[in-house]
Amino acid sequence: MNLIFVGPPGAGKGTIAAKIAAELSIPHISTGDIFRQNIREQTELGKKVKQILDSGELVPDELTIDLVSDRLSHSDAQAGWILDGFPRTETQAEALDEFARVDEVVFFRIDDEEVVKRLGGRRVHPASGRTYHIEFDPPKEPGFDDETGEPLIRREDDEPDAIRHRLEVYRKETAPVVDYYQRDGRLVEVDAAQPIEGVFEDLRAIVEEVQNR
Ligand code: ADP
Ligand code: ADP
């Protein structure tokens, strides 16, 4: 099953994608996680994109499209995948339709006020991408990853100025992606303002519907 999660930063796409992907035994492919891993490992790609990520701008389409096209060709992606954070522009959505089949696009609807609360309290385990929230989804021990015990960090782009800018970029570049999929009937919407369990249950129902087609 090939699924896309789209919605503003902080809507909870990554949190839910990790859970659904584990249930379905398919990869959760987050372009943001791939870029951050390259930055940590100081690869050529990482050096190219570090400034862009820190500022909340988008990485150029061509580079991002090549990265995803390559990732979807790996053997672990042949039985399905969840794409989280891609496509983020209409150009990326059109390109994806050239090299992959998309079964369903899930739009995470949420307002800006809630997004700001979520991103402000987000903490991540850099090596795995595991994500927590200091209030809404806290780790067992504050400041430390449940599985490895390693320290959690706050992302550079989760500072207030970068959050504001990312929301602007979302409205300008990514909102058209939602329209793109709506036009041909591939879009389904979830109320992403619910607690995590509620969003997860809604996603499970969507997955079941797609499986029964
Ligand atoms: P969020 O938590 O805001 O959804 P992500 O982890 O998905 O953030 O993305 C972090 C950053 O990585 C983005 O602000 C952008 O700089 C870059 N990025 C991720 N996916 C894409 C994409 N599809 N196209 C361009 N840039 C991207
Ligand atoms: P995205 O991938 O869309 O940027 P994340 O999955 O990283 O969003 O979630 C953003 C923050 O909000 C994280 O700190 C996460 O723990 C928290 N969060 C995710 N889903 C919910 C939810 N349904 N209710 C409350 N907090 C949530």
Side-chain angles (χ1 to χ4, degrees):
M1 178 174 323
N2 302 340
L3 299 175
I4 289 176
F5 286 5
V6 65
K13 304 179 298 294
T15 299
I16 303 297
K19 289 174 180 285
I20 295 284
E23 278 203 350
L24 295 176
S25 299
I26 56 176
H28 163 207
I29 301 173
S30 155
T31 39
D33 281 349
I34 296 172
F35 289 136
R36 280 185 293 275
Q37 185 184 358
N38 276 273
I39 292 172
R40 264 200 327 281
E41 292 170 359
Q42 299 185 358
T43 67
E44 281 309 307
L45 172 65
K47 286 178 197 158
K48 255 190 231 168
V49 303
K50 179 170 185 341
Q51 285 295 329
I52 302 176
L53 264 82
D54 283 351
S55 69
E57 291 291 323
L58 293 184
V59 174
D61 281 334
E62 201 186 299
L63 212 166
T64 310
I65 290 163
D66 285 349
L67 181 97
V68 171
S69 155
D70 176 69
R71 180 65 187 84
L72 295 186
S73 72
H74 291 193
S75 57
D76 71 329
Q78 300 320 301
W81 34 259
I82 300 179
L83 266 177
D84 157 23
F86 181 95
R88 242 181 170 90
T89 65
E90 201 163 342
T91 305
Q92 292 178 10
E94 284 162 1
L96 181 65
D97 276 335
E98 300 289 319
F99 60 78
R101 185 195 81 237
V102 173
D103 292 318
E104 194 86 312
V105 181
V106 184
F107 170 46
F108 284 59
R109 182 181 287 282
I110 190 162
D111 62 33
D112 287 4
E113 204 184 324
E114 186 61 27
V115 156
V116 170
K117 277 192 222 154
R118 288 189 183 181
L119 294 180
R122 174 157 71 181
R123 298 293 182 271
V124 296
H125 177 241
S128 67
R130 264 188 297 281
T131 300
Y132 302 86
H133 189 283
I134 51 174
E135 187 183 338
F136 308 137
D137 190 16
K140 293 188 189 105
E141 193 187 337
F144 296 94
D145 178 48
D146 286 352
E147 302 211 357
T148 63
E150 289 165 355
L152 303 177
I153 60 146
R154 181 170 179 168
R155 275 169 47 176
E156 298 263 352
D157 57 349
D158 282 346
E159 300 301 330
D161 281 350
I163 293 176
R164 244 190 316 278
H165 187 56
R166 279 154 70 211
L167 283 168
E168 281 165 22
V169 171
Y170 171 78
R171 253 185 289 281
K172 181 159 171 277
E173 304 285 351
T174 311
V177 171
V178 176
D179 297 338
Y180 175 85
Y181 290 117
Q182 185 132 49
R183 281 200 292 276
D184 62 14
R186 280 183 284 178
L187 195 80
V188 58
E189 184 175 310
V190 294
D191 173 10
Q194 303 173 80
I196 293 173
E197 272 311 305
V199 183
F200 185 40
E201 284 312 313
D202 286 359
L203 251 300
R204 275 186 158 152
I206 290 167
V207 164
E208 216 180 293
E209 192 275 318
V210 175
Q211 278 169 336
N212 290 334
R213 270 180 199 166

